[in-house]
Amino acid sequence: MLSKKTLKDVNLSNKKVIVRVDYNVPIKEGRITDNKRIVASLPTLKYLIENNCKIILLSHLSRIKTTDDIKSGKKSLRLVAEELAKLLPETSVKFVPTSVGQEVVNAANNLQPKQIILLENTRYNDVDENNNVVKKESKCDPELGKFWASLAEVFVNDAFGTVHRKHASNAGIANAIGTSCVGFLVEKELENLSKVSSNPVKPFVAILGGAKVSDKLKIVNRLLEIADYVLIGGGMAYTFLKAQGYDVGSSLVEQEMIEEAKSILAKGKDKIVLTCDFVCASGYKDEPSKYFNLGENLNGMMALDIGEKTIEAFKSKLMNAKTVVWNGPMGVFEFKNFTYGTKTICEILKQITAQGAFTVIGGGDSAAAAVSLGFKDTDFGFVSTGGGASLALIEGSPLPGVDAIQNK
């Protein structure tokens, strides 16, 4: 991954450049509620502006399943263009209300140096005018990739959140254009996550949470090969505990993963540390009704957060760690009664980071949880912008959006 061309490996002076960015930002009631992903693209854009480039931007926003998703305008990138213009007040930023056709060609041809155009949501190409799901973007239609490649001389992929997917707007363009490289954001992601996936400084501890074992099967098996300990909390822990014969009440369990969980436990042996106490309730919005220890009858209740004993068990492994990667919250942190476990993990990671450990939050819900609980990116060693992509990199799965980029 680190052998791929970066911005500084390419002659960009006065070139027309098409950039895949990740502007899949949350929008509520016509307002962007978190612009972090837009801000994250600025170092690359400013570098291109300094190099007198003409800049074409591509991004998706949410999923497009019907023509109603398009006609409603709720998944348009127009608001993103307006936000980007505010962040780059000295730069001309224009929005193009489509991503294909002559209007796009004209807009690209009329670009002047240091100007930016943002094309409409790439996933509008996943549904045709007859409401058929065609997925030209999501299934990497070669003609769509060639069209976008024809607009520019250089392709820059700076959307780490989608590099684990083979889309027309990443692999498609890279395969059809003469020169390609990764942007500063993707370069930073590859460098930092490689410190976890390749020869991490030991002791290396991984923390896994979130809902499902099936979503993290590959990463669990990979971490058991390279980590000293794998701490498992969140919803996925209850499938493992059920596999051991413990009562987990109505907690989330993937019955079809029970045998797989047994196999993982046998493979992991002393490396795996599981939740050993819980905060339970009858439902997400209910007040926590009772605290339970492992082995007690939960009386049909649902475990929604980890307890003090689990925190102490996890902390005993984390305090001596030199490298830590965390992916997945410890409980249903969206509800205030079940934030304790996730918040305490954040506090521990902040503490050991200050003591010199390299701590990585693997994007997705973990990063969202840390922000919502009042923590800053600077509290940790590195906070990834891509949940699925960071997992794919660490587990050694292909990253089509990076693989298609030219080598140095």
Side-chain angles (χ1 to χ4, degrees):
M1 292 297 170
L2 298 178
S3 65
K4 297 297 178 179
K5 283 186 178 180
T6 67
L7 284 172
K8 295 188 176 180
D9 295 314
V10 175
N11 177 14
L12 293 164
S13 182
N14 300 301
K15 295 289 177 65
K16 189 179 290 184
V17 181
I18 188 162
V19 188
R20 179 52 159 100
V21 288
D22 184 2
Y23 289 164
N24 185 29
V25 295
I27 295 176
K28 190 173 182 179
E29 297 176 355
R31 188 175 67 86
I32 295 170
T33 58
D34 184 352
N35 72 352
K36 184 179 290 187
R37 286 180 173 172
I38 306 173
V39 172
S41 72
L42 296 182
T44 289
L45 298 186
K46 289 177 179 178
Y47 184 79
L48 295 174
I49 292 166
E50 289 169 6
N51 278 272
N52 223 34
C53 295
K54 304 171 183 179
I55 305 162
I56 303 160
L57 302 184
L58 288 173
S59 178
H60 75 286
L61 178 61
S62 190
R63 288 186 173 88
I64 302 298
K65 297 179 179 179
T66 68
T67 51
D68 288 340
D69 287 335
I70 299 173
K71 293 175 182 176
S72 70
K74 292 180 180 179
K75 298 181 180 182
S76 170
L77 286 169
R78 186 180 295 277
L79 283 176
V80 173
E82 294 171 1
E83 181 68 15
L84 182 61
K86 293 175 186 175
L87 294 168
L88 294 171
E90 297 180 2
T91 302
S92 170
V93 179
K94 295 182 180 179
F95 175 67
V96 180
T98 182
S99 65
V100 292
Q102 193 60 45
E103 184 176 359
V104 171
V105 173
N106 292 343
N109 288 339
N110 292 330
L111 264 174
Q112 299 300 308
K114 300 182 186 292
Q115 290 186 344
I116 295 173
I117 57 173
L118 172 62
L119 306 188
E120 183 57 284
N121 190 341
T122 59
R123 288 187 180 169
Y124 278 16
N125 297 286
D126 280 352
V127 177
D128 68 16
E129 59 188 14
N130 296 317
N131 211 26
N132 297 310
V133 177
V134 292
K135 294 197 173 183
K136 288 188 175 182
E137 156 70 322
S138 300
K139 296 291 186 181
C140 199
D141 178 75
E143 294 306 313
L144 184 57
K146 287 177 185 176
F147 171 75
W148 284 327
S150 73
L151 301 174
E153 299 163 272
V154 178
F155 171 58
V156 179
N157 191 350
D158 210 28
F160 183 73
T162 62
V163 296
H164 59 311
R165 304 189 188 284
K166 186 178 180 180
H167 286 172
S169 63
N170 57 27
I173 299 175
N175 287 326
I177 202 165
T179 304
S180 62
C181 64
V182 297
F184 290 137
L185 173 64
V186 171
E187 182 183 6
K188 186 177 179 183
E189 292 274 1
L190 296 177
E191 286 179 350
N192 281 282
L193 292 172
S194 291
K195 294 177 185 177
V196 174
S197 62
S198 303
N199 300 314
V201 179
K202 299 291 190 101
F204 172 31
V205 180
I207 313 166
L208 294 177
K212 296 181 177 181
V213 178
S214 54
D215 289 342
K216 297 185 177 169
L217 189 57
K218 285 185 180 180
I219 192 71
V220 171
N221 282 310
R222 173 59 178 156
L223 288 170
L224 288 176
E225 295 173 359
I226 61 175
D228 294 285
Y229 293 103
V230 178
L231 318 180
I232 300 179
M236 65 183 291
Y238 307 116
T239 298
F240 285 102
L241 294 176
K242 184 77 171 179
Q244 291 181 322
Y246 291 108
D247 175 62
V248 295
S250 58
S251 306
L252 179 65
V253 171
E254 290 182 278
Q255 292 291 342
E256 69 279 10
M257 294 299 295
I258 293 289
E259 292 305 313
E260 187 68 47
K262 289 179 181 178
S263 175
I264 291 170
L265 289 167
K267 177 182 177 181
K269 298 179 181 176
D270 296 337
K271 277 191 174 186
I272 295 177
V273 182
L274 290 171
T275 304
C276 58
D277 60 347
F278 334 99
V279 178
C280 296
S282 298
Y284 296 132
K285 296 183 181 180
D286 294 343
E287 289 292 326
S289 300
K290 195 173 180 183
Y291 166 89
F292 290 91
N293 287 301
L294 186 62
E296 294 180 339
N297 187 335
L298 272 60
N299 300 317
M301 299 185 77
M302 189 185 305
L304 298 171
D305 198 7
I306 57 176
E308 288 284 1
K309 291 180 181 177
T310 300
I311 289 290
E312 287 305 312
F314 286 4
K315 187 175 182 178
S316 70
K317 305 302 182 188
L318 290 167
M319 291 309 293
N320 295 319
K322 296 297 183 185
T323 306
V324 178
V325 62
W326 173 35
N327 186 283
M330 297 293 99
V332 190
F333 72 93
E334 296 89 345
F335 298 95
K336 59 182 176 61
N337 295 319
F338 310 111
T339 61
Y340 175 76
T342 301
K343 186 174 183 180
T344 307
I345 290 296
C346 286
E347 289 170 349
I348 294 169
L349 294 186
K350 179 179 178 179
Q351 180 182 348
I352 64 173
T353 302
Q355 295 170 356
F358 180 59
T359 58
V360 175
I361 298 183
D365 287 343
S366 314
V371 170
S372 71
L373 295 171
F375 294 87
K376 301 182 180 72
D377 286 2
T378 51
D379 291 330
F380 314 102
F382 181 68
V383 180
S384 177
T385 59
S390 63
L391 287 181
L393 192 156
I394 295 168
E395 71 193 22
S397 293
L399 298 179
V402 175
D403 294 339
I405 297 294
Q406 291 174 326
N407 291 322
K408 292 181 181 180

